[in-house]
């Protein structure tokens, strides 16, 4: 068994070999909390949640770090726009991100450090880089000298002579316009921290280099994030960390975007779909299926039709699970997933191919149910639960069950009401009043219920919209 991952730095799929046998260390660039999350933000968290779950299934001990950028230009701009304290903007949106991760079933990170809690580590890193000749101070700013680091731009594979480095207001005194700010000098009304070079605040790139060093040491296995972070953020992280003396990340893994009309979903373009609104319209487990089942390196084009297709596909899985449980009672997940599922997941987290194995197993299970082969149906459900557990999509997992006692009470009330209506339908069928029977069935369907007629009588389930 060898897990293989696409490494952006190598531009190819590589066999995964951890630095420490049996352990995996992952650093994921998390939220910049200037606004509430849209589904593109949460997709990244989902993709790396599935990666983490697969490593754990394969027996690795995973240390998973997902940072919070709680100070940067965008947060300060939002604070000024709404006349609020910068930290209140950050904290409110940090909670919104965590609510979104939790709603969609992401496991909590091992540590979730905030940038503002690690200024001491940032100052230490800057001092080391200045001493090594890779950074310099000017007008209270501290810049990284990109020409001092020969490996600069190897990740994004750009030419330094053609580089246009994004620059912010107040970044004065650069020796080269392509040098980037690690520390920004104080401006009126902005938050500041004391440093040997005067008061100021961190630059975005420095935050992650310092926090990765703090929690994962001089070298770790995997650095993750969205494709949009390759340059300048990840490129600048590498320059800072390696110039400081760290080996830094051994593999670079990037997830693709959620797009709308071909454009990346983003707050600045005004085309974002907030998670908080989506979970009011769609079940969170369906959203997880929609966002987590395409390959992590494939773009997802957002549409209501695509969500309805995901809902219908998951309903087929969920319906099989419910039918076997009704027939056989509690069925525990199998100890191992089917070999074809494992092979797909080992090959660069091939979730679409792995999901095909899930649906094949569901079809086999439904055939067993139709043949009244309880033993085979139970065996298939055990396999399905094992596979869905890896993907975070097991509908019997307590996370999705919520408050079980309240849920059972509610289900009982609904069941009693639906049974009354179904009894009326059965009475109409008994007197051959097919028009009334069909009308009752149609009305139940419009209410979101699917009615299935079987040997033991009609049964109802919540159907796709």
């Amino acid at each position: 068994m060898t897990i293989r991952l696409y490494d952006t730095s190598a531009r190819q799929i590589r066999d995964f070999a951890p630095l420490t046998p049996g352990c995996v260390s992952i650093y994921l660039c998390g939220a910049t909390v200037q606004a509430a999350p849209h589904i593109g933000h949460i997709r990244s968290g989902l993709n790396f949640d599935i990666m983490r779950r697969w490593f754990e299934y394969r027996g690795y001990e995973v240390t998973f770090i997902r940072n919070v950028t709680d100070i940067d230009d965008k947060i300060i701009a939002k604070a000024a726009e709404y006349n609020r304290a910068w930290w209140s903007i950050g904290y409110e949106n940090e909670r919104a991100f965590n609510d979104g991760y939790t709603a969609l079933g992401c496991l909590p990170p091992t540590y979730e450090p905030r940038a503002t809690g690690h200024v001491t580590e940032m100052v230490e890193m800057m001092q080391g880089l200045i001493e090594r000749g890779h950074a310099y101070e000017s007008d209270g700013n501290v810049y990284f000298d990109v020409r001092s680091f020969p490996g600069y731009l190897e990740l994004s594979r750009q030419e330094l002579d053609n580089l246009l480095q994004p620059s912010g207001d107040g970044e004065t005194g650069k020796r080269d316009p392509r040098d980037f700010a690690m520390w920004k000098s104080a401006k009126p009304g902005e938050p500041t921290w004391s440093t040997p070079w005067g008061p100021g605040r961190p630059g975005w790139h420095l935050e992650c280099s310092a926090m990765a060093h703090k929690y994962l040491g001089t070298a770790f296995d995997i650095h993750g994030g969205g494709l949009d972070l390759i340059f300048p953020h990840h490129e600048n992280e590498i320059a800072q960390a390696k110039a400081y003396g760290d080996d830094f990340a051994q593999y670079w893994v990037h997830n693709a975007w959620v797009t709308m009309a071909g454009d990346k979903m983003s707050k600045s373009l005004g085309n974002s779909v907030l998670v908080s609104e989506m979970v009011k319209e769609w079940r969170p487990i369906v959203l997880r299926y929609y966002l987590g089942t395409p390959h992590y390196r494939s773009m997802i084009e957002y549409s209501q039709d695509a969500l309805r297709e995901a809902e219908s596909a998951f309903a087929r899985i969920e319906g099989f699970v419910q039918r076997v449980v009704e027939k056989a009672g509690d069925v525990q997940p199998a100890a191992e997933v089917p070999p074809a599922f494992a092979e797909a997941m080992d090959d660069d987290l091939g979730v679409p191919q792995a999901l095909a194995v899930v649906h094949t197993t569901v079809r086999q299970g439904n055939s067993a149910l139709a043949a009244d082969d309880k033993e085979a149906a139970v065996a298939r459900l055990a396999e399905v639960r094992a596979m869905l557990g890896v993907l975070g999509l097991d509908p019997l997992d307590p996370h999705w069950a919520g408050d079980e006692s309240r849920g059972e009470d509610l289900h009982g009330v609904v069941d009693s009401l639906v049974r009354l209506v179904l009894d009326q339908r059965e009475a109409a069928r008994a007197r051959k009043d097919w028009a009334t029977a069909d009308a009752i069935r149609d009305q139940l369907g419009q209410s979101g219920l699917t009615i299935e007629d079987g040997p033991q009588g009609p049964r109802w389930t919540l159907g796709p919209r």
Side-chain angles (χ1 to χ4, degrees):
M1 176 276 296
T2 301
I3 295 176
R4 306 175 72 232
L5 295 172
Y6 184 85
D7 181 4
T8 304
S9 62
R11 297 298 194 275
Q12 64 180 1
I13 294 177
R14 296 173 54 202
D15 290 350
F16 177 74
L19 290 168
T20 302
C23 298
V24 180
S25 47
I26 303 172
Y27 185 94
L28 174 63
C29 283
T32 299
V33 288
Q34 86 271 18
H38 57 65
I39 58 175
H41 294 128
I42 300 299
R43 183 195 182 183
S44 180
L46 278 175
N47 289 151
F48 286 91
D49 182 65
I50 291 171
M51 172 192 283
R52 173 193 185 170
R53 288 170 183 263
W54 185 243
F55 274 121
E56 290 179 344
Y57 172 82
R58 281 303 198 189
Y60 288 94
E61 180 181 338
V62 179
T63 300
F64 182 67
I65 310 300
R66 185 182 67 211
N67 77 292
V68 176
T69 297
D70 60 342
I71 185 67
D72 85 333
D73 293 345
K74 295 176 182 178
I75 295 170
I76 292 171
K78 284 288 183 182
E81 178 182 352
Y82 294 107
N83 193 29
R84 291 179 56 188
W86 63 272
W87 47 264
S88 71
I89 295 280
Y91 183 62
E92 175 182 289
N93 292 312
E94 180 183 340
R95 291 187 64 180
F97 268 89
N98 283 330
D99 288 345
Y101 292 133
T102 300
L104 271 64
C106 293
L107 300 173
T110 310
Y111 305 108
E112 192 168 25
R114 295 188 183 102
T116 54
H118 298 80
V119 171
T120 298
E121 289 82 1
M122 296 179 208
V123 170
E124 290 175 357
M125 184 167 278
M126 285 187 288
Q127 288 174 321
L129 289 169
I130 290 173
E131 291 168 2
R132 293 169 174 80
H134 293 292
Y136 59 93
E137 181 273 338
S138 179
D139 299 333
N141 301 298
V142 179
Y143 299 110
F144 186 90
D145 180 354
V146 298
R147 289 191 176 275
S148 72
F149 182 66
Y152 192 59
L153 300 180
E154 286 184 356
L155 180 67
S156 58
R157 300 196 177 184
Q158 300 181 80
E159 295 293 333
L160 184 60
D161 290 341
N162 299 327
L163 181 66
L164 294 175
Q165 179 74 257
S167 186
D169 294 337
E171 294 185 9
T172 60
K174 287 186 179 182
R175 297 174 184 171
D176 186 307
R178 291 161 294 196
D179 294 346
F180 61 86
M182 293 190 294
W183 190 262
K184 301 187 178 186
S185 61
K187 300 180 184 65
E190 290 189 355
T192 62
W193 288 261
S194 298
T195 75
W197 314 286
R201 61 180 176 85
W204 176 31
H205 316 302
L206 178 65
E207 297 172 351
C208 284
S209 296
M211 287 187 284
H213 179 92
K214 166 82 170 181
Y215 291 94
L216 297 177
T218 60
F220 57 96
D221 294 309
I222 298 168
H223 196 310
L227 285 172
D228 52 321
L229 299 182
I230 294 175
F231 182 85
H233 186 49
H234 289 166
E235 196 74 77
N236 292 351
E237 278 189 63
I238 293 170
Q240 292 164 154
K242 291 195 170 184
Y244 186 67
D246 291 357
D247 287 335
F248 212 49
Q250 307 304 295
Y251 298 80
W252 287 86
V253 179
H254 292 91
N255 64 277
W257 304 325
V258 177
T259 61
M260 184 179 288
D263 291 325
K264 176 198 168 192
M265 190 172 287
S266 74
K267 300 162 191 163
S268 59
L269 292 177
N271 64 354
S272 57
V273 181
L274 295 181
V275 175
S276 59
E277 295 303 315
M278 292 293 287
V279 296
K280 296 175 184 176
E281 183 179 359
W282 301 90
R283 294 169 60 206
I285 196 169
V286 170
L287 287 177
R288 183 178 178 102
Y289 185 98
Y290 170 67
L291 292 171
T293 55
H295 195 275
Y296 74 91
R297 289 194 284 121
S298 299
M299 297 292 181
I300 299 175
E301 175 68 17
Y302 170 79
S303 73
Q304 290 283 310
D305 286 344
L307 268 161
R308 279 189 284 270
E309 289 175 9
E311 184 180 48
S312 296
F314 185 72
R316 290 193 291 273
I317 297 173
E318 195 171 32
F320 165 68
V321 173
Q322 292 170 346
R323 284 190 288 274
V324 179
V325 169
E326 288 174 3
K327 191 177 187 68
D330 183 43
V331 177
Q332 291 301 305
E336 295 184 358
V337 298
F341 182 94
E343 182 180 355
M345 293 298 291
D346 282 340
D347 187 13
D348 194 30
L349 303 177
V351 174
Q353 294 78 12
L355 193 64
V357 180
V358 174
H359 282 286
T360 296
T361 309
V362 166
R363 287 194 293 272
Q364 294 169 347
N366 282 328
S367 296
L369 284 172
D372 202 24
D373 187 344
K374 178 179 174 181
E375 183 178 351
V378 167
R380 299 294 79 75
L381 176 55
E383 292 172 343
V384 167
R385 286 202 67 190
M387 293 185 283
L388 294 179
V390 167
L391 301 176
L393 286 168
D394 181 1
L396 301 181
D397 186 281
H399 174 82
W400 302 115
D403 185 339
E404 294 183 2
S405 61
R406 184 177 177 184
E408 289 173 1
D409 290 344
L410 180 60
H411 187 280
V413 171
V414 174
D415 184 62
S416 296
L417 294 173
V418 174
R419 288 292 163 194
L420 289 173
V421 179
L422 289 178
D423 287 345
Q424 295 174 8
R425 177 173 175 264
E426 288 302 295
R429 293 178 63 176
R431 62 177 183 268
K432 298 187 179 344
D433 184 357
W434 309 119
T436 298
D438 289 345
I440 291 173
R441 181 181 183 127
D442 291 344
Q443 288 175 349
L444 289 172
Q446 291 172 6
S447 301
L449 299 176
T450 297
I451 308 302
E452 298 177 9
D453 294 311
Q456 286 76 41
R459 65 186 297 275
W460 66 271
T461 57
L462 286 174
R465 68 199 66 203

